[in-house]
């Protein structure tokens, strides 16, 4: 099937008896459609929520964000750069084929080749992957890697059948996923629903099988219809709850509100390789002209906190000594004048619809704030597929600002800051500081390969200060996750934004 048909109606035809479920069924509504079923081609949190239900990783984060065994039951360090992972036996993919060491090798091999996936930056520490025997995989890192055990739990580490890691295979995978996860793909009808059913052969966490037999993911882009669907009982969980409706959900007869501070930060990425954004003074002016506290209060009902240094406070490497830029329009005007742009500058603000709560309102408010200092902002909302292409193709245009909310993947600055700003990362080509020989690059590489936590923290302290001073992106705030939930469904919200149905229970 041609690639162009990937996002058309997709259905896996199953006998009607297979679709009949005797247990609980839930419906989850997110504001945007999935963009792909290939975990190597997206790190957008709404799409990642599909991946983590369909696929498994060698190690995994539990709902307290502690590392646990996954497809690997154990591991041992052979030397400073070599780890052996013992694979869980008897695991089968959803198509009935057994999981093999070759499948694990093929998945990781794909991730370490530049250009094959969008997650390559998180796997560049890996030098080689080899099959020791049918139950053992050996991973050798380029240098000592203090985060190797969590790298194999991160975005893109979901294990695929080897046949679907080829250039042709991933085209099939993008529309018809095959994993070993707790849920199996049933059908994907674009803009209407994506259906999964419990994998009765799943190996299970601690021997537990999924309590929910069937889950329907229903995209509802607009806030009001999504809220009405929850209130009427048509859906059981909604994401991206508008702050002004939170109280109503919390006090609803059949609904409740679940919140948790997140590992995700909000910012505007930019292409700073060409004038005028190549001038640090212009980038700093953009930051001084944004009243982040007012945004949090007025648009997000106080849910969130300003960030500085671009690392969430849940991550190792967060630098509490760095304080956010104050709102200072006069300073912004001064910097623009010093850069020879007293008459102002034109920028375009891009966002994918459904990227986050109140995303369009956020762009409009920031454009209004910038207009007060002569920064003329044009707002452009995109559907999520177009946003994914702009992100994956590193195609943010000159004078372009792309709304992002990168999530920590390792609970470490390496999985947030360096995942994005590594030369192979999403923003790596947009800032000279990301390149080899630059101080920021060298500090992040030092931290990446040091086994000494004190040395790593020292390197991160200086690197986050550089980010704060150079402003290669506009920092906004650290998010709070808010879910609207039917009272028939129970789960503990996770700081990593993952909706893992196997962690949920529901009454019929």
């Amino acid at each position: 099937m041609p690639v162009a048909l990937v996002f058309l109606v997709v259905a896996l035809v199953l006998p009607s008896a297979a679709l009949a479920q005797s247990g609980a069924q839930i419906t989850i509504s997110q504001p945007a459609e999935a963009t792909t079923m290939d975990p190597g081609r997206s790190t957008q949190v709404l799409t990642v929520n599909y991946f983590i239900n369909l696929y498994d990783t060698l190690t995994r984060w539990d709902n307290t964000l502690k590392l646990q065994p996954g497809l690997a039951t154990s591991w041992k360090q052979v030397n400073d750069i070599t780890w052996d992972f013992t694979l869980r036996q008897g695991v089968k993919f959803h198509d009935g084929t057994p999981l093999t060491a070759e499948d694990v090798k093929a998945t990781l091999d794909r991730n370490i080749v530049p250009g094959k996936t969008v997650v390559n930056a998180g796997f560049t520490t890996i030098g080689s992957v080899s099959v020791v025997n049918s139950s053992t995989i050996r991973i050798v890192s380029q240098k000592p890697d203090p985060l190797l055990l969590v790298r194999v739990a991160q975005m893109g580490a979901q294990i695929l059948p080897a046949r679907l890691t080829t250039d042709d295979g991933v085209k099939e995978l993008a529309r018809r996923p095959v994993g070993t996860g707790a849920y199996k793909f049933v059908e994907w009808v674009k803009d209407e629903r994506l259906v999964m059913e419990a994998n009765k052969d799943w190996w299970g966490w601690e021997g537990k099988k999924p309590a929910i037999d069937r889950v329907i993911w229903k995209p509802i882009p607009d806030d009001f219809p999504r809220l009405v669907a929850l209130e009427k009982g048509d859906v059981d969980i909604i994401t991206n709850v508008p702050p002004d409706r939170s109280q109503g959900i919390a006090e609803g007869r059949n609904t409740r509100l679940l919140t948790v501070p997140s590992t995700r930060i909000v910012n505007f990425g930019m292409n700073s390789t060409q004038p005028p954004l190549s001038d640090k003074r212009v980038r700093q002016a953009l930051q001084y002209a944004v009243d982040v506290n007012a945004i949090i209060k007025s648009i997000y009902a106080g849910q969130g906190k300003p960030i500085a240094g671009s690392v969430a406070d849940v991550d190792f490497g967060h630098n509490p000594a760095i304080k956010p830029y104050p709102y200072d329009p006069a300073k912004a005007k001064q910097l623009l004048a010093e850069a020879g742009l007293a008459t102002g500058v034109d920028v375009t603000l891009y966002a994918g619809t459904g990227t986050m709560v109140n995303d369009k309102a956020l762009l409009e408010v920031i454009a209004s704030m910038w207009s007060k200092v002569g920064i003329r902002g044009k707002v452009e909302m995109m559907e999520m597929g177009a946003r994914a292409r702009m992100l994956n193709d590193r195609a943010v245009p000159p004078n372009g600002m792309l709304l992002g909310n990168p999530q920590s993947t390792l609970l470490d600055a390496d999985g947030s800051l360096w995942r994005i700003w590594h030369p192979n990362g999403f923003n790596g080509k947009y800032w000279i500081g990301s390149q080899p020989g630059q101080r920021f690059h060298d500090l992040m590489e030092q931290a990446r390969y040091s086994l000494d936590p004190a040395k790593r923290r020292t390197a991160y302290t200086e690197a986050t200060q550089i980010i704060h001073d150079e402003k290669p992106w506009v920092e906004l705030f650290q998010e709070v996750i808010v879910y609207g939930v039917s009272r028939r469904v129970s789960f503990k919200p996770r700081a990593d934004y993952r909706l893992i149905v196997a962690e949920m229970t529901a009454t019929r």
Side-chain angles (χ1 to χ4, degrees), residues 187-497:
E187 65 174 357
W188 180 9
V189 181
K190 182 172 170 55
D191 297 324
E192 185 177 332
R193 66 183 180 273
L194 191 149
V195 182
M196 302 176 189
E197 66 178 9
N199 176 14
K200 298 302 184 182
D201 296 324
W202 187 49
W203 53 271
W205 300 327
E206 301 173 354
K208 297 177 182 177
K209 301 300 180 183
I212 294 169
D213 280 357
R214 187 175 174 89
V215 55
I216 300 171
W217 302 82
K218 184 177 180 63
I220 305 179
D222 294 333
D223 291 340
F224 183 71
R226 199 164 60 252
L227 289 161
V228 170
L230 176 66
E231 291 167 355
K232 290 174 60 179
D234 294 337
V235 304
D236 299 289
I237 301 172
I238 63 171
T239 67
N240 295 48
V241 174
D244 60 347
R245 298 302 297 270
S246 296
Q247 185 174 352
I249 293 174
E251 296 174 352
R253 180 178 179 181
N254 298 311
T255 59
R256 60 197 177 103
L257 202 69
L258 296 180
T259 67
V260 64
S262 80
T263 59
R264 199 163 78 172
I265 64 173
V266 181
N267 51 50
F268 267 108
M270 69 182 85
N271 186 341
S272 67
T273 61
Q274 299 179 49
L277 298 179
S278 56
D279 191 318
K280 179 173 71 173
R281 294 167 297 187
V282 177
R283 302 194 299 268
Q284 290 174 333
L286 291 167
Q287 187 74 63
Y288 278 117
V290 178
D291 189 343
V292 176
N293 285 305
I295 288 171
I296 294 171
K297 182 179 180 180
S298 64
I299 303 181
Y300 297 100
Q303 296 275 23
K305 54 186 173 182
I307 57 168
S310 299
V311 176
D313 61 10
V314 296
D315 278 12
F316 181 85
H318 170 70
N319 185 350
I322 300 178
K323 303 304 178 186
Y325 277 41
Y327 176 51
D328 191 341
K331 180 69 171 177
K333 289 181 179 180
Q334 175 191 336
L335 287 166
L336 289 174
E338 291 175 0
L341 295 167
T343 57
V345 62
D346 294 289
V347 297
T348 302
L349 290 73
Y350 296 95
T353 300
T355 297
M356 58 178 291
V357 176
N358 289 346
D359 39 30
K360 184 177 181 181
L362 175 61
L363 267 61
E364 291 171 342
V365 167
I366 290 178
S368 177
M369 291 176 175
W370 280 348
S371 70
K372 296 175 183 178
V373 302
I375 300 169
R376 297 174 291 273
K378 177 184 177 184
V379 172
E380 291 280 353
M381 299 300 296
M382 305 179 287
E383 60 93 22
M384 289 300 288
R387 179 189 184 274
R389 289 189 291 274
M390 179 179 285
L391 193 67
N392 295 348
D393 295 343
R394 280 54 167 176
V396 177
N399 287 47
M401 313 287 295
L402 177 62
L403 179 66
N405 47 358
Q407 176 185 335
S408 171
T409 58
L410 304 174
L411 297 184
D412 186 282
D414 190 277
S416 51
L417 190 60
W418 201 217
R419 177 174 71 87
I420 304 299
W421 286 108
H422 186 277
N424 294 342
F426 289 108
N427 288 8
K429 66 174 282 187
Y430 297 140
W431 177 47
I432 185 62
S434 292
Q435 304 309 307
Q438 299 293 318
R439 183 61 177 167
F440 174 79
H441 173 281
D442 294 348
L443 287 166
M444 295 305 294
E445 286 292 281
Q446 288 173 26
R448 169 166 275 193
Y449 293 112
S450 174
L451 299 180
D452 184 335
K455 290 181 179 178
R456 299 184 73 242
R457 187 178 293 280
T458 297
Y460 284 151
T461 297
E462 185 178 346
T464 51
Q465 186 65 56
I466 292 172
I467 282 281
H468 184 67
D469 295 339
E470 292 291 326
K471 276 287 165 268
W473 57 13
V474 176
E475 299 178 300
L476 297 174
F477 56 91
Q478 185 173 335
E479 288 188 280
V480 173
I481 305 170
V482 183
Y483 297 119
V485 182
S486 164
R487 292 189 181 275
R488 63 181 287 267
V489 177
S490 297
F491 68 97
K492 178 181 178 181
R494 301 170 57 107
D496 61 4
Y497 261 93

Side-chain angles (χ1 to χ4, degrees), residues 117-134:
T117 69
V118 301
V119 297
N120 170 255
F123 294 87
T124 58
T125 64
I126 296 176
S128 65
V129 182
S130 60
V131 175
V132 177
N133 54 53
S134 62

Side-chain angles (χ1 to χ4, degrees), residues 83-148:
W83 289 82
D84 283 354
F85 293 81
T86 300
L87 301 182
R88 193 175 298 275
Q89 297 302 293
V91 176
K92 293 182 179 180
F93 285 103
H94 298 154
D95 62 2
T97 59
L99 170 75
T100 68
E102 285 74 16
D103 298 312
V104 178
K105 172 177 167 55
T107 300
L108 297 178
D109 279 348
R110 177 192 178 211
N111 285 339
I112 63 179
V113 177
K116 288 292 184 181
T117 69
V118 301
V119 297
N120 170 255
F123 294 87
T124 58
T125 64
I126 296 176
S128 65
V129 182
S130 60
V131 175
V132 177
N133 54 53
S134 62
S135 62
T136 308
I137 278 287
R138 173 165 293 174
I139 300 177
V140 179
S141 57
Q142 305 273 8
K143 300 177 184 177
D145 181 0
L147 300 173
L148 185 65

